[in-house]
Amino acid sequence: MSPERVPEERRFTAPQGFLLAGSFLITLGSFAVLPYMSVLLHQRLGLGIGMVGFVLAVASLIQFAGGVVAGPVAARIGLRRSMSLALALRTAGFAAFVPGLSSPVPAIGALMLVSAGAALYLPANKAYLVDGSPEAGRPRLLSASSSAFNAGMALGPPAAAPLVMGSPGVLFACVAGLFALVGVGHAFLPREKARSQAVACGAPSGSPARSGLSPFLVTVVSVYAFMFFQHYLALYAVPRTSAGYYGVVLMGYAALLVVAQPLLAEWIAALSYPAALRWGFGAMAAGMAAIAGGGHVGIAVGGALLCLGEIVLFLKNDLEALARSACPPATVFGRQRLAAGIGAFASGVVGGQLYAAAESAGSARAFWAAVCVQCLLLPVLLLSRRTARGRSEPRAETVPDLRG
């Protein structure tokens, strides 16, 4: 092999490159409008805050828990058609917002269409991305996918800010057009190498022995811990710094995620699962402690540490879930979405009560200290549960030959 030649496994195929570019555009369009949805429903359509919260909770439940439908749909119609169907639903949903901006009922229906499309798309997208790729290539592909999604998440809200309140109809029409164009591109993707089949799921045959940790459970717990940061940093940071500084922290967070995850992917893949838990939750605990310290520096450093924790845990959970299951990848990723939804829901419920209690006690910093303690305890509990399971299961041991 000549030194100039790039190894084949280091390249992206044309379909993979298109999917990564499409992932960026899809998330750019989605996050141009979805972060402002509570404002539109409340201020423009007149829904009460309580009703807005209920609507957004239902939409989130559809978006996350609906991922379990992606596997059966892909098994029946294939990954490419699943993605096309999902994009058609999202295109119709964003287009329906244009006439729906004068009445809450069609607007809510449009939001549910968008959420249903999101539930179908991401598991099929990730499954198509890794289709036919060796296990060693999965960290690179999944980390690149995450970077593309996060780049869109970072740029979507500022790109839409000039239009979201003044001309929302124009914004939704542009987003619907963007999704329609990306959907047309998906129709030209080649058929996946291995059509998803409905199979009995279990451990893949011939797979190496792995720790007894459940990727589903670890994903629930990982998202539960992380979403305290996602849900409640604004309430804490804006009064202590400024809205502008908070926005800079979020953009820096997204930029770090986009750059660092591909660079760390192979290292994360090489970590044992227990080591990844210690690194990931340890970084989250340190980040929560830094935020509790308050001030501009503490919040920025805390965000960077939380970013490291997210990179390690979220990528490792997906890799372990794929490696441990004989199910089609779309089914695996759908279950991971369900786990993320459960974790996010639990974090919202617990976090609201915890933050209210901390504020009533006169110290919002106590909230972050309490979350830091949880991040320290959670890997200990997960690993002790794994040890207890290992002791309760019969071990295959070598029996000495006593016949001679």
Side-chain angles (χ1 to χ4, degrees):
M1 180 184 296
S2 63
E4 294 82 14
R5 184 178 176 186
V6 179
E8 189 67 27
E9 66 269 17
R10 300 298 298 176
R11 299 173 181 165
F12 294 123
T13 65
Q16 288 169 344
F18 172 80
L19 278 186
L20 294 173
S23 296
F24 167 74
L25 293 174
I26 286 169
T27 316
L28 177 72
S30 297
F31 276 77
V33 293
L34 294 180
Y36 301 104
M37 196 56 59
S38 59
V39 178
L40 290 171
L41 292 173
H42 178 57
Q43 294 187 4
R44 187 178 183 91
L45 298 177
L47 290 181
I49 291 293
M51 180 57 69
V52 169
F54 177 76
V55 169
L56 294 180
V58 172
S60 297
L61 184 63
I62 292 173
Q63 182 174 341
F64 282 100
V68 296
V69 180
V73 171
R76 180 170 292 275
I77 68 175
L79 296 173
R80 184 185 61 177
R81 290 180 179 176
S82 294
M83 290 188 289
S84 296
L85 173 61
L87 291 173
L89 288 174
R90 300 189 81 179
T91 301
F94 285 119
F97 270 111
V98 179
L101 287 170
S102 58
S103 174
V105 174
I108 292 171
L111 178 60
M112 299 308 159
L113 271 178
V114 170
S115 299
L120 284 178
Y121 183 79
L122 188 58
N125 171 279
K126 286 186 173 183
Y128 189 100
L129 195 64
V130 302
D131 179 60
S133 132
E135 185 172 347
R138 289 173 175 176
R140 177 175 54 94
L141 291 168
L142 293 178
S143 63
S145 175
S146 177
S147 292
F149 276 104
N150 282 285
M153 289 171 61
L155 297 178
L163 292 175
V164 69
M165 295 307 295
S167 305
V170 174
L171 176 61
F172 279 109
C174 290
V175 172
L178 175 64
F179 270 80
L181 286 174
V182 175
V184 170
H186 277 65
F188 293 96
L189 287 171
R191 190 182 298 275
E192 57 267 23
K193 294 181 178 64
R195 173 74 175 270
S196 296
Q197 300 293 331
V199 297
C201 297
S205 59
S207 62
R210 296 177 181 266
S211 67
L213 292 165
S214 161
F216 185 92
L217 177 59
V218 177
T219 299
V220 170
V221 174
S222 301
V223 175
Y224 165 81
F226 172 76
M227 290 305 288
F228 287 111
F229 167 78
Q230 192 81 1
H231 284 149
Y232 299 104
L233 183 63
L235 288 174
Y236 179 80
V238 172
R240 289 164 177 79
T241 56
S242 68
Y245 184 78
Y246 173 68
V248 169
V249 169
L250 290 188
M251 290 193 69
Y253 184 99
L256 180 60
L257 196 63
V258 168
V259 173
Q261 186 158 22
L263 296 176
L264 297 175
E266 291 187 4
W267 171 71
I268 294 169
L271 286 175
S272 68
Y273 209 6
L277 262 64
R278 296 186 185 100
W279 272 99
F281 282 107
M284 285 191 181
M288 300 298 182
I291 293 171
H296 292 71
V297 175
I299 290 170
V301 171
L305 289 167
L306 264 295
C307 182
L308 174 61
E310 177 186 354
I311 289 171
V312 173
L313 289 174
F314 289 15
L315 177 58
K316 191 65 175 180
N317 288 337
D318 277 354
L319 292 173
E320 288 290 322
L322 279 173
R324 291 163 184 259
S325 177
C327 295
T331 300
V332 174
F333 289 124
R335 290 176 178 173
Q336 289 296 98
R337 291 281 289 174
L338 174 60
I342 295 171
F345 179 80
S347 181
V349 172
V350 174
Q353 302 299 317
L354 193 59
Y355 201 94
E359 280 201 326
S360 65
S363 176
R365 292 182 176 182
F367 169 81
W368 300 103
V371 177
C372 173
V373 172
Q374 289 188 70
C375 291
L376 292 172
L377 292 177
L378 288 172
V380 175
L381 295 174
L382 288 169
L383 292 171
S384 63
R385 178 179 181 273
R386 164 226 179 193
T387 303
R389 282 185 60 185
R391 288 174 178 170
S392 65
E393 293 172 356
R395 293 181 297 173
E397 298 180 350
T398 302
V399 180
D401 188 352
L402 302 178
R403 293 173 298 175

